[in-house]
């Protein structure tokens, strides 16, 4: 699964995060590989609260252990 994200708060303004089948993940600068569209999302992370508005899964709210400030638009890809 790949996540192509554009926004503030990540390591790079534009990045591709790839999750492998074993659960590990890595990120790369820019857009990498082909995009097979699965979903579009907006992620708002304010301190320990994360709100995700996803076309496929709807609205989700979760708590994280670390504080961060992020505003990210993303595409989920196969």
């Amino acid at each position: 699964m790949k996540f192509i994200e554009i926004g503030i708060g990540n390591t790079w303004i534009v990045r591709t995060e790839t999750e492998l089948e074993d659960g590990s993940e890595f990120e790369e600068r820019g857009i990498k590989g082909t995009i097979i569209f699965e979903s579009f999302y907006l992620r708002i992370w304010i301190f320990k609260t994360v709100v995700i508005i996803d076309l496929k899964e709807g609205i989700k709210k979760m708590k994280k252990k670390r504080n961060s400030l992020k505003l990210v638009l993303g595409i989920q890809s196969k």
Side-chain angles (χ1 to χ4, degrees):
M1 189 72 56
K2 285 194 311 191
F3 300 92
I4 295 97
E5 297 183 334
I6 299 171
I8 56 172
N10 286 334
T11 308
W12 300 292
I13 299 292
V14 179
R15 76 170 186 158
T16 300
E17 179 180 299
T18 304
E19 291 182 356
L20 304 175
E21 290 180 16
D22 65 2
S24 62
E25 58 186 43
F26 63 94
E27 63 180 57
E28 300 172 276
R29 186 179 205 161
I31 299 171
K32 302 295 180 187
T34 59
I35 299 171
I36 301 170
F37 182 81
E38 290 251 329
S39 185
F40 181 77
Y41 60 90
L42 170 67
R43 183 165 37 123
I44 304 165
W45 186 329
I46 302 172
F47 302 113
K48 293 185 179 187
T49 303
V50 181
V51 176
I52 302 169
I53 303 168
D54 188 301
L55 288 178
K56 187 176 179 181
E57 298 181 17
I59 299 173
K60 298 187 289 187
K61 183 178 176 183
M62 60 183 70
K63 293 286 187 178
K64 297 285 189 172
K65 291 183 180 181
R66 67 181 176 94
N67 285 326
S68 192
L69 289 172
K70 295 183 181 186
L71 179 61
V72 177
L73 291 172
I75 295 173
Q76 182 179 343
S77 176
K78 286 185 176 182

